[in-house]
């Protein structure tokens, strides 16, 4: 099963919040990992991380071969 992916390329900075919220809501508590592609934009990366943190989700960034990519764990410690 492929990991769900949200690619923010082509979006304006003010559109990021709504897109990330919709994406996270769609996959929340799915027990999966999802990926968010922010590209080289530090603003998109920080905006995405801010929203992920508001949901209390765990995430990782900075993979050597995946710069501009966030891997989000879509479940909490209760599961």
């Amino acid at each position: 099963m492929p990991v769900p992916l949200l690619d923010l390329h082509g979006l304006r900075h003010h559109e990021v919040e709504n897109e990330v919220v919709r994406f996270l809501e769609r996959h929340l508590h799915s027990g999966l990992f999802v990926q968010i592609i922010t590209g080289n934009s530090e603003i998109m990366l920080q905006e995405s991380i801010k929203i992920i943190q508001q949901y209390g989700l765990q995430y990782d960034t900075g993979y050597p071969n995946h710069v501009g990519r966030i891997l989000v764990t879509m479940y909490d410690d209760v599961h």
Side-chain angles (χ1 to χ4, degrees):
M1 174 182 234
V3 174
L5 175 72
L6 174 63
D7 190 342
L8 299 176
H9 285 103
L11 294 179
R12 298 185 185 275
H13 293 142
H14 70 274
E15 298 172 314
V16 170
E17 182 176 357
N18 287 337
E19 288 298 317
V20 173
V21 166
R22 275 195 291 262
F23 182 71
L24 293 179
E25 286 289 331
R26 192 172 332 129
H27 298 287
L28 200 58
H29 304 298
S30 65
L32 300 173
F33 293 93
V34 298
Q35 292 184 62
I36 300 174
I37 306 298
T38 62
N40 293 326
S41 172
E42 187 65 28
I43 293 172
M44 287 197 180
L45 178 68
Q46 292 306 316
E47 285 296 313
S48 298
I49 288 173
K50 180 177 78 174
I51 296 160
I52 294 164
Q53 289 173 335
Q54 289 172 354
Y55 277 86
L57 299 169
Q58 297 294 315
Y59 64 93
D60 289 303
T61 63
Y63 292 103
N65 296 327
H66 301 286
V67 176
R69 185 176 302 238
I70 306 169
L71 181 66
V72 184
T73 306
M74 297 306 293
Y75 56 86
D76 54 33
D77 292 337
V78 176
H79 290 98

